Amino acid sequence: MQFTFKIQSFQEDAVDNIVEVFRGESLTNNSLYRYDDGVKKPRFYTNEGLFFKEDIAYSNHPISLTPEQLLSNINRIQQQNHIKKSSKLDKTLGGCSIDIEMETGTGKTYVYINTMFELNKHYGWNKFIVVVPSIAIREGVKKTFQITEDHFMGRYGKKARYFVYDSSQLMELEQFSTSSDINVMIINSQAFASSFKKEGSNKNSKIIFSERDEFQSRCPIDVIAANNPIVILDEPQKLKGTGTQNVLKESFNVLFSLHFSATHEIKHNLV
């Protein structure tokens, strides 16, 4: 079945406002870094030393704008859209925390997928983590990625690579790091609550914070954090009490965060 998507002006406005937060940021190739490929992979010497092609990975480049420039951009957007102006830049999660208020059923999943393509187009960023409050929403998000593949391919000439985090499939994180394409990890808060806490009796509770034999003796959280990901929170008010946002803040090296909801309980910088 082929889906046809009608581009809604209010959805485009939401995407444009997010992109405008970073006006003045240059379009930059993402930062190359030497990927930790673990202790079990063979390494090779080249003329430049111990740095082979397989060692190369790509992370989101840092924000070059100052906090004052970001706040100025946000205030301009707020003034244009009759939103109460923020007095300071909110840095709750990453370099800035942006709120997008959308009613249920107005296509926020489509909007944040579209935002990924636009942020990549304008600024080069390509590593994203989507956090959702339930398995049902997680599967819905995954389905939206599937059915919009051709649509966004037609608009941007590329596809996003997306996967659902699974502690038994850690090698997905390797491609997440080493790919220069748009890469998206989707995770639900229940998985955070069990697999991402640093202590606990659950056999999976320490997986992401410990060196794993099946992951070439690497620590998965280190691999994720090296990508300096942009985090998108879907219905963040439903994530409180899970510890999800605290773990993201403490361990994920978040570039910045986008909070999508119809009912924001904790306010950040609304655009």
Side-chain angles (χ1 to χ4, degrees), residues 108-169:
K108 68 177 182 298
T109 308
Y110 176 92
V111 167
Y112 62 66
I113 296 174
N114 193 5
T115 298
M116 296 176 191
F117 282 90
E118 284 292 316
L119 290 173
N120 178 257
K121 173 183 174 181
H122 286 274
Y123 309 119
W125 292 317
N126 70 341
K127 302 297 173 71
F128 301 88
I129 297 176
V130 177
V131 185
V132 299
S134 69
I135 293 173
I137 294 178
R138 183 195 71 190
E139 292 305 304
V141 170
K142 180 182 176 182
K143 184 66 175 179
T144 303
F145 270 99
Q146 291 174 341
I147 66 177
T148 57
E149 277 187 0
D150 292 340
H151 169 72
F152 286 118
M153 180 68 181
R155 291 189 66 183
Y156 296 98
K158 62 178 65 177
K159 293 184 179 182
R161 177 186 174 270
Y162 53 91
F163 68 100
V164 172
Y165 172 81
D166 184 339
S167 61
S168 67
Q169 301 291 329

Side-chain angles (χ1 to χ4, degrees), residues 48-173:
E48 291 76 30
L50 189 61
F51 189 81
F52 201 57
K53 182 178 180 181
E54 284 77 3
D55 290 330
I56 296 175
Y58 303 84
S59 66
N60 285 332
H61 63 82
I63 299 171
S64 64
L65 300 178
T66 66
E68 292 76 19
Q69 289 173 314
L70 289 170
L71 181 59
S72 177
N73 286 343
I74 290 168
N75 286 160
R76 183 181 64 254
I77 296 163
Q78 291 169 332
Q79 183 174 3
Q80 291 171 349
N81 291 275
H82 310 291
I83 299 169
K84 183 179 179 181
K85 292 176 70 173
S86 300
S87 59
K88 63 179 181 179
L89 183 68
D90 192 302
K91 301 175 71 174
T92 300
L93 183 58
C96 60
S97 295
I98 304 300
D99 286 345
I100 301 90
E101 190 171 288
M102 296 184 67
E103 295 298 326
T104 302
T106 56
K108 68 177 182 298
T109 308
Y110 176 92
V111 167
Y112 62 66
I113 296 174
N114 193 5
T115 298
M116 296 176 191
F117 282 90
E118 284 292 316
L119 290 173
N120 178 257
K121 173 183 174 181
H122 286 274
Y123 309 119
W125 292 317
N126 70 341
K127 302 297 173 71
F128 301 88
I129 297 176
V130 177
V131 185
V132 299
S134 69
I135 293 173
I137 294 178
R138 183 195 71 190
E139 292 305 304
V141 170
K142 180 182 176 182
K143 184 66 175 179
T144 303
F145 270 99
Q146 291 174 341
I147 66 177
T148 57
E149 277 187 0
D150 292 340
H151 169 72
F152 286 118
M153 180 68 181
R155 291 189 66 183
Y156 296 98
K158 62 178 65 177
K159 293 184 179 182
R161 177 186 174 270
Y162 53 91
F163 68 100
V164 172
Y165 172 81
D166 184 339
S167 61
S168 67
Q169 301 291 329
L170 293 176
M171 295 310 291
E172 290 276 13
L173 299 178

